[in-house]
Amino acid sequence: MEACLSTCTMQRSIQPAGLFLRSLHFPDYQAMVQLLVQERLTAGLTQRQLAQRLGKPHSYVSKIEVSERRIDLMELIHYLRAMRRSPARFVKLAVAIVEHAETER
């Protein structure tokens, strides 16, 4: 992962209003990914077990967890439900992490 972080360029897309989509390597997104990994481990699942529950290849989960692939909101809901985790609780935790990071800046 470190090799990718040091060699990959940030992927950005220009939006109509001139805003940029956040990169896979943006600190807030990285915090969310780490929270997803923590949730999977707390659920006692391996990446392969989670992928099987999702009906996806192992690489799907792996790429999300090493930030090679973004996860959209609907995928996130399915991902969390496959782990029997609450999407609402997860979002509250993610918001708290972002808010804490903003106060630290």
PDB file of all heavy atoms in Angstrom, residues 10-24 70:
ATOM      1  N   MET A  10      -2.852  11.476  -7.406  1.00  0.00           N
ATOM      2  CA  MET A  10      -4.228  11.630  -6.958  1.00  0.00           C
ATOM      3  C   MET A  10      -5.141  11.717  -8.165  1.00  0.00           C
ATOM      4  O   MET A  10      -4.880  12.457  -9.107  1.00  0.00           O
ATOM      5  CB  MET A  10      -4.386  12.878  -6.098  1.00  0.00           C
ATOM      6  CG  MET A  10      -3.759  12.779  -4.766  1.00  0.00           C
ATOM      7  SD  MET A  10      -4.271  14.175  -3.772  1.00  0.00           S
ATOM      8  CE  MET A  10      -3.961  13.527  -2.170  1.00  0.00           C
ATOM      9  N   GLN A  11      -6.214  10.930  -8.100  1.00  0.00           N
ATOM     10  CA  GLN A  11      -7.190  10.937  -9.177  1.00  0.00           C
ATOM     11  C   GLN A  11      -8.250  11.967  -8.837  1.00  0.00           C
ATOM     12  O   GLN A  11      -8.879  11.893  -7.800  1.00  0.00           O
ATOM     13  CB  GLN A  11      -7.820   9.561  -9.329  1.00  0.00           C
ATOM     14  CG  GLN A  11      -6.813   8.491  -9.641  1.00  0.00           C
ATOM     15  CD  GLN A  11      -7.431   7.110  -9.535  1.00  0.00           C
ATOM     16  OE1 GLN A  11      -8.548   6.944  -9.078  1.00  0.00           O
ATOM     17  NE2 GLN A  11      -6.685   6.122  -9.970  1.00  0.00           N
ATOM     18  N   ARG A  12      -8.456  12.909  -9.749  1.00  0.00           N
ATOM     19  CA  ARG A  12      -9.458  13.952  -9.516  1.00  0.00           C
ATOM     20  C   ARG A  12     -10.288  14.118 -10.769  1.00  0.00           C
ATOM     21  O   ARG A  12      -9.795  14.000 -11.886  1.00  0.00           O
ATOM     22  CB  ARG A  12      -8.795  15.281  -9.179  1.00  0.00           C
ATOM     23  CG  ARG A  12      -8.036  15.233  -7.877  1.00  0.00           C
ATOM     24  CD  ARG A  12      -7.465  16.565  -7.559  1.00  0.00           C
ATOM     25  NE  ARG A  12      -6.779  16.490  -6.282  1.00  0.00           N
ATOM     26  CZ  ARG A  12      -6.173  17.505  -5.728  1.00  0.00           C
ATOM     27  NH1 ARG A  12      -6.147  18.669  -6.295  1.00  0.00           N
ATOM     28  NH2 ARG A  12      -5.580  17.363  -4.569  1.00  0.00           N
ATOM     29  N   SER A  13     -11.534  14.401 -10.562  1.00  0.00           N
ATOM     30  CA  SER A  13     -12.435  14.678 -11.672  1.00  0.00           C
ATOM     31  C   SER A  13     -12.996  16.072 -11.480  1.00  0.00           C
ATOM     32  O   SER A  13     -13.460  16.412 -10.407  1.00  0.00           O
ATOM     33  CB  SER A  13     -13.591  13.669 -11.696  1.00  0.00           C
ATOM     34  OG  SER A  13     -13.104  12.379 -11.864  1.00  0.00           O
ATOM     35  N   ILE A  14     -12.966  16.869 -12.533  1.00  0.00           N
ATOM     36  CA  ILE A  14     -13.500  18.219 -12.438  1.00  0.00           C
ATOM     37  C   ILE A  14     -15.012  18.145 -12.558  1.00  0.00           C
ATOM     38  O   ILE A  14     -15.555  17.546 -13.473  1.00  0.00           O
ATOM     39  CB  ILE A  14     -12.910  19.132 -13.527  1.00  0.00           C
ATOM     40  CG1 ILE A  14     -11.396  19.246 -13.321  1.00  0.00           C
ATOM     41  CG2 ILE A  14     -13.574  20.491 -13.516  1.00  0.00           C
ATOM     42  CD1 ILE A  14     -10.694  20.055 -14.375  1.00  0.00           C
ATOM     43  N   GLN A  15     -15.696  18.734 -11.600  1.00  0.00           N
ATOM     44  CA  GLN A  15     -17.147  18.794 -11.586  1.00  0.00           C
ATOM     45  C   GLN A  15     -17.593  20.079 -12.272  1.00  0.00           C
ATOM     46  O   GLN A  15     -16.824  21.017 -12.403  1.00  0.00           O
ATOM     47  CB  GLN A  15     -17.655  18.765 -10.135  1.00  0.00           C
ATOM     48  CG  GLN A  15     -17.308  17.474  -9.412  1.00  0.00           C
ATOM     49  CD  GLN A  15     -17.953  16.274 -10.061  1.00  0.00           C
ATOM     50  OE1 GLN A  15     -19.155  16.230 -10.201  1.00  0.00           O
ATOM     51  NE2 GLN A  15     -17.149  15.319 -10.484  1.00  0.00           N
ATOM     52  N   PRO A  16     -18.860  20.167 -12.695  1.00  0.00           N
ATOM     53  CA  PRO A  16     -19.342  21.373 -13.372  1.00  0.00           C
ATOM     54  C   PRO A  16     -19.075  22.661 -12.608  1.00  0.00           C
ATOM     55  O   PRO A  16     -18.762  23.674 -13.198  1.00  0.00           O
ATOM     56  CB  PRO A  16     -20.847  21.118 -13.508  1.00  0.00           C
ATOM     57  CG  PRO A  16     -20.985  19.637 -13.499  1.00  0.00           C
ATOM     58  CD  PRO A  16     -19.873  19.135 -12.603  1.00  0.00           C
ATOM     59  N   ALA A  17     -19.174  22.630 -11.293  1.00  0.00           N
ATOM     60  CA  ALA A  17     -18.961  23.842 -10.503  1.00  0.00           C
ATOM     61  C   ALA A  17     -17.483  24.112 -10.267  1.00  0.00           C
ATOM     62  O   ALA A  17     -17.128  25.021  -9.547  1.00  0.00           O
ATOM     63  CB  ALA A  17     -19.698  23.736  -9.172  1.00  0.00           C
ATOM     64  N   GLY A  18     -16.611  23.310 -10.870  1.00  0.00           N
ATOM     65  CA  GLY A  18     -15.181  23.507 -10.697  1.00  0.00           C
ATOM     66  C   GLY A  18     -14.641  22.834  -9.441  1.00  0.00           C
ATOM     67  O   GLY A  18     -13.502  23.043  -9.066  1.00  0.00           O
ATOM     68  N   LEU A  19     -15.460  22.004  -8.789  1.00  0.00           N
ATOM     69  CA  LEU A  19     -15.026  21.305  -7.586  1.00  0.00           C
ATOM     70  C   LEU A  19     -14.383  19.983  -7.973  1.00  0.00           C
ATOM     71  O   LEU A  19     -14.658  19.425  -9.020  1.00  0.00           O
ATOM     72  CB  LEU A  19     -16.226  21.050  -6.666  1.00  0.00           C
ATOM     73  CG  LEU A  19     -16.973  22.296  -6.204  1.00  0.00           C
ATOM     74  CD1 LEU A  19     -18.222  21.886  -5.428  1.00  0.00           C
ATOM     75  CD2 LEU A  19     -16.076  23.166  -5.343  1.00  0.00           C
ATOM     76  N   PHE A  20     -13.543  19.468  -7.106  1.00  0.00           N
ATOM     77  CA  PHE A  20     -12.878  18.186  -7.353  1.00  0.00           C
ATOM     78  C   PHE A  20     -13.481  17.102  -6.474  1.00  0.00           C
ATOM     79  O   PHE A  20     -13.825  17.345  -5.333  1.00  0.00           O
ATOM     80  CB  PHE A  20     -11.377  18.283  -7.043  1.00  0.00           C
ATOM     81  CG  PHE A  20     -10.644  19.201  -7.961  1.00  0.00           C
ATOM     82  CD1 PHE A  20     -10.302  20.471  -7.557  1.00  0.00           C
ATOM     83  CD2 PHE A  20     -10.307  18.790  -9.224  1.00  0.00           C
ATOM     84  CE1 PHE A  20      -9.622  21.319  -8.395  1.00  0.00           C
ATOM     85  CE2 PHE A  20      -9.622  19.625 -10.074  1.00  0.00           C
ATOM     86  CZ  PHE A  20      -9.281  20.905  -9.656  1.00  0.00           C
ATOM     87  N   LEU A  21     -13.587  15.914  -7.031  1.00  0.00           N
ATOM     88  CA  LEU A  21     -13.931  14.762  -6.208  1.00  0.00           C
ATOM     89  C   LEU A  21     -12.712  14.441  -5.368  1.00  0.00           C
ATOM     90  O   LEU A  21     -11.584  14.593  -5.810  1.00  0.00           O
ATOM     91  CB  LEU A  21     -14.275  13.543  -7.073  1.00  0.00           C
ATOM     92  CG  LEU A  21     -15.568  13.612  -7.849  1.00  0.00           C
ATOM     93  CD1 LEU A  21     -15.719  12.366  -8.709  1.00  0.00           C
ATOM     94  CD2 LEU A  21     -16.749  13.728  -6.908  1.00  0.00           C
ATOM     95  N   ARG A  22     -12.923  13.961  -4.180  1.00  0.00           N
ATOM     96  CA  ARG A  22     -11.798  13.650  -3.310  1.00  0.00           C
ATOM     97  C   ARG A  22     -11.131  12.363  -3.740  1.00  0.00           C
ATOM     98  O   ARG A  22     -11.755  11.418  -4.152  1.00  0.00           O
ATOM     99  CB  ARG A  22     -12.267  13.561  -1.876  1.00  0.00           C
ATOM    100  CG  ARG A  22     -12.720  14.941  -1.432  1.00  0.00           C
ATOM    101  CD  ARG A  22     -12.956  15.003   0.019  1.00  0.00           C
ATOM    102  NE  ARG A  22     -13.209  16.411   0.328  1.00  0.00           N
ATOM    103  CZ  ARG A  22     -13.777  16.817   1.408  1.00  0.00           C
ATOM    104  NH1 ARG A  22     -14.165  15.975   2.317  1.00  0.00           N
ATOM    105  NH2 ARG A  22     -13.964  18.097   1.618  1.00  0.00           N
ATOM    106  N   SER A  23      -9.855  12.331  -3.600  1.00  0.00           N
ATOM    107  CA  SER A  23      -9.035  11.185  -3.968  1.00  0.00           C
ATOM    108  C   SER A  23      -9.269  10.011  -3.030  1.00  0.00           C
ATOM    109  O   SER A  23      -9.711  10.162  -1.902  1.00  0.00           O
ATOM    110  CB  SER A  23      -7.568  11.602  -3.900  1.00  0.00           C
ATOM    111  OG  SER A  23      -6.739  10.487  -3.830  1.00  0.00           O
ATOM    112  N   LEU A  24      -8.907   8.843  -3.528  1.00  0.00           N
ATOM    113  CA  LEU A  24      -8.930   7.640  -2.693  1.00  0.00           C
ATOM    114  C   LEU A  24      -7.981   7.790  -1.503  1.00  0.00           C
ATOM    115  O   LEU A  24      -8.135   7.122  -0.499  1.00  0.00           O
ATOM    116  CB  LEU A  24      -8.477   6.426  -3.522  1.00  0.00           C
ATOM    117  CG  LEU A  24      -9.432   5.932  -4.580  1.00  0.00           C
ATOM    118  CD1 LEU A  24      -8.715   4.934  -5.499  1.00  0.00           C
ATOM    119  CD2 LEU A  24     -10.633   5.278  -3.953  1.00  0.00           C
ATOM    120  N   ARG A  70     -12.850   2.811  -4.901  1.00  0.00           N
ATOM    121  CA  ARG A  70     -13.794   3.555  -4.062  1.00  0.00           C
ATOM    122  C   ARG A  70     -15.058   2.744  -3.879  1.00  0.00           C
ATOM    123  O   ARG A  70     -15.409   1.928  -4.721  1.00  0.00           O
ATOM    124  CB  ARG A  70     -14.159   4.895  -4.693  1.00  0.00           C
ATOM    125  CG  ARG A  70     -13.085   5.948  -4.524  1.00  0.00           C
ATOM    126  CD  ARG A  70     -13.561   7.313  -4.966  1.00  0.00           C
ATOM    127  NE  ARG A  70     -14.439   7.919  -3.999  1.00  0.00           N
ATOM    128  CZ  ARG A  70     -14.053   8.695  -2.985  1.00  0.00           C
ATOM    129  NH1 ARG A  70     -12.767   8.943  -2.826  1.00  0.00           N
ATOM    130  NH2 ARG A  70     -14.909   9.220  -2.161  1.00  0.00           N
TER     131      ARG A  70
END
